[in-house]
Amino acid sequence: QVQLVESGGGLAQAGDSLRLSCAASGRTFSNYAMGWFRQAPGKAREFVAAMSRSGGTTYHADSVKGRFTISRDNAKNMVYLQMNSLKPEDTAVYYCAAREGFSLSQAWSSYAYWGQGTQVTVSS
C-alpha cells in the first residue's frame, strides 16, 4: 500500500497560480501511476491529470490543458500539479491518487489509493 498526503491548496484569485504537492510513503513510489482528481460541491469527482510510472507519459483533461501540468519526482516520492491561470471553475477539493501498473488512467475507479484532499478556492 501507499499513503498519500496532499498540500499546497488555498485561496487564489482568477489568473493566479498554485502548485499542489502529493507526498507518498509506505511503498515504492515508482511502482504507481499517479493521477489528480477534483470534486466541487454537489458535483461528481472529475479527472484532472494523470501520469505514468516513469513520468514519461501524461494526460490532462480538456478543461485544464494548457493551464495545469502534472509532474513527479520519484526520487523524492512526490507528485505535483502546477496550476496556472486559475479560474473560478477550478474551485474544488483536489485529490492525489495512485494506481498500480504502468499506464495512466482517467477513471477514478482504477485508483486504489487516495489522499485526503486539499481545498483550492479561486475567486473572480
Side-chain angles (χ1 to χ4, degrees):
Q1 65 177 10
V2 62
Q3 293 79 45
L4 306 173
V5 180
E6 303 95 335
S7 62
L11 179 64
Q13 293 185 340
D16 285 356
S17 296
L18 288 174
R19 188 180 75 162
L20 305 184
S21 298
C22 176
S25 63
R27 190 176 174 87
T28 303
F29 180 64
S30 60
N31 288 344
Y32 299 89
M34 303 298 298
W36 284 98
F37 293 78
R38 65 187 182 186
Q39 188 165 22
K43 296 184 178 180
R45 198 177 312 178
E46 177 188 15
F47 170 77
V48 176
M51 173 169 280
S52 62
R53 286 169 54 169
S54 68
T57 304
T58 62
Y59 177 75
H60 298 78
D62 288 343
S63 60
V64 305
K65 283 182 179 178
R67 300 188 299 118
F68 292 8
T69 303
I70 187 173
S71 62
R72 69 190 297 164
D73 187 338
N74 286 346
K76 296 182 178 180
N77 290 352
M78 297 287 291
V79 62
Y80 306 98
L81 185 68
Q82 179 66 47
M83 305 186 295
N84 298 326
S85 301
L86 284 165
K87 302 176 180 180
E89 303 93 280
D90 297 320
T91 296
V93 176
Y94 283 72
Y95 297 92
C96 177
R99 61 183 296 270
E100 296 182 359
F102 292 92
S103 62
L104 50 79
S105 174
Q106 64 179 2
W108 65 265
S109 60
S110 70
Y111 291 83
Y113 307 102
W114 294 82
Q116 82 287 353
T118 185
Q119 176 71 48
V120 173
T121 302
V122 184
S123 62
S124 60

